[in-house]
Amino acid sequence: MRVLVTGASGTLGRKVVPHLVAAGHEVRAMSRRPRPGGDGVEWVVADLGAGTGVDLAVTGVDAVVHLASATRSFDARVDVAGTRRLVTDSAEAGVRHLLYVSIVGIDEVPLRYYRLKLAAERIVTTGEVPWSVLRATQFPQLLDGMLRVAGRLGPVFGDRAMLVQPVDPGDVAGRIADRLVAGPGRTIEEYGGPQVLRYDEAVAAWSVARGRRRSLLSIRVPGRFGRAVRAGGLTTTATPTGSRTWADYLADTYGGSARK
């Protein structure tokens, strides 16, 4: 199968591309900047936000794995207008399956970025291209980064009762490969990590792994956001789940040694 991967240079894309190549697919990887080919990957330049190169990128592919997202700028030109452009161009090119990777909780947790992702989902699910949506829980890299910020002044700030369910990008890449083989199910599937953790549990393990004992300064996050996350809005009971745990990520990243 010839597969286009948008957002191929991101955290998840860097796992998805080699996984699909190893599974025997012909992979076309999309990036906003020129990149050298090799390792069975054809790189193409296209920009969803600017609307350039997308029509050429989808030409001749059987399926599209849509990972690209404005995770830092929360730019509707990428997540909403860009997804609409991708769906339209894919339909005109005769693409047979568009698999969109989204986030667990976007319909429950009130965040601007999540509203954009939900809008993008609706574009995919009402478009002409046969589709699948895979909603994943948070990556451990994101939780790690959040804890670094929350603990930059010493104690780690946060709501001890909030629930998280980190899922490894490699596990998500494997699930994407399975969904491609299964074909467009026109369903929204959820996929999470193997453990649901309270924030205080995640902080304790993180502190030990980094060799720097950090106390938790618990603050109760108010409003709809706090209530939604404490109630498990960012978690799922769906099966199957990934296999790699938060502890696995911490061991790989810090090796139990102190990090300054």
Side-chain angles (χ1 to χ4, degrees):
M1 185 186 305
R2 171 163 279 206
V3 183
L4 172 69
V5 180
T6 75
S9 60
T11 299
L12 181 55
R14 292 194 297 270
K15 296 292 185 179
V16 169
V17 167
H19 200 108
L20 296 182
V21 170
H25 299 292
E26 296 180 50
V27 177
R28 179 180 291 172
M30 191 174 111
S31 173
R32 289 179 296 166
R33 302 175 184 86
R35 296 176 184 271
D39 298 324
V41 180
E42 173 196 3
W43 284 90
V44 296
V45 176
D47 189 325
L48 286 172
T52 57
V54 179
D55 55 344
L56 296 177
V58 299
T59 298
V61 301
D62 303 301
V64 173
V65 176
H66 183 21
L67 310 178
S69 184
T71 56
R72 295 180 181 178
S73 62
F74 307 156
D75 191 345
R77 291 176 300 175
V78 175
D79 284 282
V80 180
T83 296
R84 184 176 293 110
R85 183 174 295 109
L86 180 67
V87 171
T88 299
D89 289 347
S90 294
E92 292 177 356
V95 172
R96 299 196 296 270
H97 185 187
L98 196 157
L99 194 163
Y100 179 54
V101 178
S102 187
I103 306 171
V104 167
I106 60 172
D107 51 354
E108 297 182 37
V109 178
L111 290 175
R112 168 175 163 72
Y113 177 55
Y114 283 13
R115 290 197 296 272
L116 296 179
K117 295 294 285 187
L118 189 59
E121 272 192 14
R122 289 170 180 154
I123 291 167
V124 170
T125 59
T126 58
E128 296 181 23
V129 182
W131 57 272
S132 301
V133 172
L134 179 65
R135 288 182 178 177
T137 54
Q138 309 296 319
F139 295 153
Q141 290 87 346
L142 176 63
L143 179 57
D144 187 5
M146 290 173 58
L147 294 180
R148 285 176 175 271
V149 171
R152 69 185 183 276
L153 298 179
V156 180
F157 290 82
D159 189 328
R160 70 171 64 249
M162 285 187 167
L163 299 177
V164 293
Q165 189 178 1
V167 64
D168 188 84
D171 286 338
V172 179
R175 191 60 184 166
I176 288 170
D178 291 343
R179 295 307 308 155
L180 281 177
V181 171
R186 299 183 186 271
T187 58
I188 297 176
E189 175 186 338
E190 294 189 343
Y191 188 77
Q195 294 176 309
V196 174
L197 301 170
R198 290 193 320 272
Y199 185 79
D200 58 349
E201 295 172 326
V203 170
W206 179 79
S207 297
V208 170
R210 299 182 74 234
R212 301 177 69 186
R213 298 286 180 168
R214 297 290 189 92
S215 60
L216 172 65
L217 184 58
S218 185
I219 55 173
R220 187 173 178 84
V221 175
R224 290 178 54 212
F225 175 81
R227 291 194 298 272
V229 180
R230 284 191 295 271
L234 296 178
T235 70
T236 179
T237 59
T239 55
T241 68
S243 61
R244 292 186 57 76
T245 64
W246 176 233
D248 291 331
Y249 167 82
L250 294 173
D252 288 346
T253 305
Y254 299 110
S257 61
R259 296 298 174 95
K260 303 299 182 183

